[in-house]
Amino acid sequence: MKDTVSYKLLKRNWEQKLGDMENAKLEGVWREEDKDPLAYTFCFKLVTQRGKEQIVFVYLSEYKGNLQVGFTSKLNTKELLNRTSRLVDLILDNVNLLHKAFDELKRVEIMYPKHYISKSILEERKNESKGIRVSDIRDKKELIINFFEELKRKKLPEVSYSDDERRSFQIRGRGSTSLGKLLVELGISKEFNATKVSKSYHTIYFKDDCYNSHLYTVLDQWESFIRNEIGFQDCFSNRYFV
């Protein structure tokens, strides 16, 4: 299908749509005429926090009925990956400016490159990096004890588990070591296994002889409590089989 929009008009339309991007300039956007059926390339000049200029290319094409996105640069730093990912978001939000067929392909599936960083991942990393202060954990000591006492008395719905199923409680993030040690101190956990490997999960071994319900069902309650009341989002009851 022949593109009737000239190169200059296409670039001007995208400059207007993208607006004034901080430390970023659209150098060009063009259709890859030798590729079929649809393929476009964006060229941006980004200025890093250290003041260095970097050229970044973003590619969009149709691939087996899906919208495929890619981007490259010579310097794949965390800053450039984040910023280029946001450029990808802006382009996809207005992809109908390139060709209306892209808008239809987007509704089917978008194939992102493996180094694309979504906004949800950024938010998760942001929450994880915040962590929980030791003082905040200590301030919730009474809340933890009250929840524990209530949970011991509660009769949760019965769930059947296979004989070879096992559960472990995993947690990570700044402050998780302090929480693990506090749970042992309060007699809620029998053991806390803290790993020294960066960003790895720690294991909390909850006592299993003090509840009116099956421990595996109890672990789901602890997961909800630790997430919502204590503030650790990266924790879960890990299921495995032996």
Side-chain angles (χ1 to χ4, degrees):
M1 185 181 298
K2 185 174 179 59
D3 192 351
T4 57
V5 181
S6 69
Y7 163 77
K8 290 184 179 180
L9 178 59
L10 185 63
K11 182 174 182 288
R12 185 162 64 247
N13 287 343
W14 276 96
E15 285 175 334
Q16 292 174 351
K17 182 59 65 174
L18 296 175
D20 295 326
M21 298 178 293
E22 185 177 1
N23 295 324
K25 180 183 178 183
L26 177 63
E27 293 290 296
V29 52
W30 58 88
R31 172 128 180 227
E32 302 288 354
E33 298 288 350
D34 58 331
K35 296 182 180 179
D36 188 59
L38 292 171
Y40 284 83
T41 297
F42 288 79
C43 178
F44 293 94
K45 180 188 289 184
L46 304 183
V47 180
T48 68
Q49 293 177 346
R50 296 186 177 183
K52 294 184 178 181
E53 294 184 349
Q54 180 67 39
I55 295 296
V56 173
F57 293 95
V58 177
Y59 312 98
L60 285 88
S61 61
E62 185 274 338
Y63 180 74
K64 295 183 177 180
N66 299 317
L67 176 53
Q68 182 173 255
V69 183
F71 61 79
T72 59
S73 71
K74 292 182 179 179
L75 185 63
N76 283 333
T77 63
K78 184 183 295 186
E79 177 193 355
L80 284 174
L81 291 178
N82 286 340
R83 292 181 59 189
T84 308
S85 295
R86 300 292 70 77
L87 288 175
V88 168
D89 292 340
L90 282 172
I91 292 171
L92 290 177
D93 286 343
N94 302 280
V95 74
N96 60 306
L97 285 178
L98 288 177
H99 200 289
K100 63 180 181 180
F102 277 136
D103 215 21
E104 297 171 1
L105 293 172
K106 186 174 71 171
R107 297 190 185 99
V108 179
E109 184 181 355
I110 300 175
M111 300 171 63
Y112 293 96
K114 63 181 181 179
H115 43 287
Y116 169 81
I117 303 173
S118 68
K119 291 180 180 179
S120 61
I121 292 296
L122 280 180
E123 189 63 28
E124 286 180 13
R125 291 178 179 176
K126 182 179 178 181
N127 291 333
E128 180 182 330
S129 64
K130 286 180 179 178
I132 310 296
R133 294 183 302 179
V134 175
S135 59
D136 291 337
I137 295 173
R138 285 285 172 179
D139 288 343
K140 294 184 178 181
K141 180 177 178 179
E142 185 175 346
L143 179 67
I144 294 172
I145 294 173
N146 291 339
F147 176 76
F148 175 53
E149 294 298 330
E150 179 184 346
L151 190 57
K152 285 195 298 183
R153 297 188 298 268
K154 186 179 293 186
K155 185 64 177 177
L156 299 170
E158 292 186 7
V159 179
S160 61
Y161 300 95
S162 62
D163 293 336
D164 59 349
E165 181 177 343
R166 299 291 183 271
R167 294 285 183 97
S168 64
F169 194 87
Q170 307 291 308
I171 187 171
R172 70 176 177 179
R174 287 191 299 174
S176 56
T177 299
S178 298
L179 175 62
K181 291 179 177 179
L182 178 62
L183 292 175
V184 173
E185 176 188 318
L186 296 175
I188 297 172
S189 302
K190 54 187 177 183
E191 186 181 349
F192 174 67
N193 182 15
T195 176
K196 294 182 179 180
V197 180
S198 175
K199 296 185 178 180
S200 293
Y201 287 95
H202 308 310
T203 305
I204 299 175
Y205 297 94
F206 286 92
K207 288 185 175 181
D208 57 0
D209 57 356
C210 52
Y211 300 100
N212 286 324
S213 304
H214 196 288
L215 177 63
Y216 295 170
T217 308
V218 168
L219 290 182
D220 292 335
Q221 299 295 310
W222 275 111
E223 177 182 338
S224 177
F225 175 79
I226 291 174
R227 283 175 179 270
N228 300 322
E229 301 298 333
I230 307 300
F232 287 99
Q233 298 303 308
D234 202 352
C235 69
F236 61 96
S237 175
N238 184 39
R239 182 186 184 193
Y240 63 98
F241 296 88
V242 295

